[in-house]
Amino acid sequence: MSVNDFQDIQRRYEVLQHDLGPHHAPQGLYVQNKALPFIGRVQCNVSEIEAGSWQEIILDYEVGASGIADGAWIKATFKFYSDWALFQTSDPTAANYISAEYQAAPLVPGQSPASVQSLSIRFDQKGHERPYQKAIIVDVVDGYLNAGDHIIIRLGDRRAGGPGTRVQTFVEDSFRFRLYVDPLGTSRFVTVPDDVVIKVAHGPAAKLFLNAPRYAQPQVPLPLRVSVLDRWGNIVRDQGLPLRLQVQQDGTTLHTHNLDLPAQGWASVGLDIGTGLRLPAGSYRLLADVPGLPQLPATEFYVDVAADFPTQRPFYADLHVHAHDTVGTNSPAYNAAYARDIGGIDVFGYTANDFQITDQNWQLGLDAVNEIDRPGSFVAFPVQEWCGSSTAGGDHNVVFLGDTAPGFPYNARGEHNRTLVWNEDMKGSAVSLGRWPVEELWAAYVGEAQQHLLIPHVGGRRYIPDWHHPELERLVEIASTWGHFGWLYQDVIQRGYQLGVAASSDEHRGRPGGGAPGVQVFGVHGGLTGVLADTLDRASIGRALRARHTWATTGEHAALITQCGPHPQGDAFRWQGDAVLDYRFLGQSGWEYLAANDHTGRIWERDLHRELGYSDRRIRLRWGGARIPDRYRWAAWQGRIQVLGASIQSFRSHGFEHAEESSWRADPTSIAFRSDTYGDADSIEIEVSQLKDLRLVVEGTIDSYVKVGDPLQRNPFVHRPDFHWEVSGADLLRDGRVQLELGGTELFLALERLTDAPLPRTVAGQVQVEPVNAPFGFRPVYFHGRQRDDSKVWSSAHFIEFG
């Protein structure tokens, strides 16, 4: 408040005193309180923090002129997509402890002290309205607060010796704490003006990330990107160092490219379409390192070049990316540039939750999409996410494929095509219903079906395949940062739906193009859709997507190419006699399991460990799945592997997504582990001294999502809170693999023998399919593969009508 404003308050009070005549009031309190914001104000002790670091954050709320009535409460909220560690209030010496304390302001003459006795504090992951759902809630106990009093909230209170709180793991230009106050004790909240805004910055350089097309035809330019990331997968900035890129074949370096990381901006450099590698037929290893950062491990990427690939190179699409205008991080333009320059993808989908996006923000998003779309180098589509609940059909993305303005939010008749209008910028609280249920969404776009692509997905409001429109719905999303959902594709296939596969990041954290995994809700690497298209422009990509010429990956630039005669994956066609399906899997860490499925389930499989010959001493524990198919699906595992009758020679883990998942040597005979799975799987490989007399004891617990309550205490999965399993080395020698089913959504434990031989990064072959139609008149056949690090790929099905 300026000096002039304060003087004006004093003059007005002098006039008021004169008008009132004789009266009693605390001396000077009127002027003091009028100088305060009515709802108060908040300050913070930090303005910038490192992603994933440990901090003590202090929010100092000064009560406004309103005061706070007895029984009232206060919320310090932040957006639900943040993976900030869960707060606890039971142990002040442990991590993530939060506290709230009251500090009285000085009293003026004649003023009574506030009567508040204490404050209580709790944390609720859904304690407020989306998007500011996560809430630290402070209750006023037995009394009121005066204007000018303070409530000090400490996040990661260190005063009793705790380490602080682990902040969110991803960068954000403007992370916000938004405070809401219930001044009258009516449970009706008012927003405190001026959010606390903190910049969340990257940490030190920890790893390199190299992306390129997984295959190419000879001499086709291969664009690629090499980026420097911190340990949580955030892009590092301002490195200004030379980077070396080597092209190797059979261990020999053929070419070396010396590139320079920028001194300012993202630490990423690459070769574009004009300068990309042009290679003759063969298999190549790309190796990148930064000589000036010897502590930074080199990274590699494998590329196959051959004339018989069906397209010049694959295109990778991420059609499901949110920005800060709904429930994402940073702007649409930032996300699009990140997808192109760091994610190294070709096709981008700017996605807005339809009930939450405002008309103005949608237009800004469209402007960003149209600005970055460049035929031949990068394609961008606008996408509506229709957010219908599962009982109305579940989440569907609408990709607007054409160059004309989308019929969203309004059609030509001025009718809005949202599910409903309901967002934080609304005036009032009534719901304005739009397209609900999903049949009404179809009706909005079926008139121009070729210009639209509807992709149902699991996400938050799970798609239910009781509904299907064959002209609009051509793909189904089966992997994202929410998890892996191969079971969903099997579900739609056995119903006779002619749907292909897609995978997307469903990115909320500003890292599209696969999406680095975080903690909590978005806990796995985001997915990508591989596209077989002739050229990189909206029309060609749109035709390929609607033709189902796709495969889905769990975020890696892997590829899966299948063919039946002249028909690529996704085609529906007639065929006489046995059908021979050619397949080619192209990966990075080595393929260990391949399968083909039809409407009945698995019809063919290959175990590459068995084919290459089992090791006499190498075994693996693998665990995975999810508790439920819906939003808060993950299973929180803690366990121990006890090895008896043999000694543990060495062990290593695979599939762990981030630094808070780990395995360790617990004692001379045991390995302990802790991880979360979302439909994916994690594993520990163990080399033992011998198998014949071995006895393995595996035991542990499975816990659930903690909405409220103490995260230091267990929240057991009610249907399978724990497990105990004993397997002998003789069992493994006889069977090669044993598995324990644990219920939920494909929860399992598996003990498996492994090979000592290197697993192949490229596998090709044929599968013969008998001419038998399903009851719905054709036979759908699709392929699936898994690599050693649990990265997966699925092909769109061939829909073969035999006769």
Side-chain angles (χ1 to χ4, degrees), residues 715-794:
N715 184 30
F717 176 41
V718 294
H719 300 294
R720 192 68 191 233
D722 50 45
F723 51 87
H724 180 93
W725 191 31
E726 297 191 22
V727 177
S728 71
D731 294 334
L732 287 173
L733 286 169
R734 182 188 66 242
D735 300 327
R737 180 180 189 276
V738 290
Q739 182 159 321
L740 177 66
E741 303 296 339
L742 297 175
T745 302
E746 300 182 335
L747 290 172
F748 74 93
L749 291 168
L751 280 161
E752 303 161 329
R753 296 183 67 186
L754 306 179
T755 184
D756 283 326
L759 291 168
R761 295 182 177 89
T762 300
V763 183
Q766 293 182 329
V767 173
Q768 185 167 309
V769 178
E770 295 179 352
V772 178
N773 287 325
F776 39 74
F778 58 89
R779 188 172 186 180
V781 180
Y782 68 94
F783 288 81
H784 164 63
R786 184 183 71 238
Q787 297 190 73
R788 191 173 204 149
D789 61 358
D790 195 55
S791 61
K792 300 183 180 77
V793 65
W794 296 262

Side-chain angles (χ1 to χ4, degrees), residues 83-103:
D83 63 353
W84 202 299
L86 301 183
F87 298 115
Q88 56 93 10
T89 59
S90 61
D91 185 354
T93 68
N96 304 302
Y97 181 72
I98 55 173
S99 65
E101 63 187 55
Y102 167 68
Q103 292 185 2

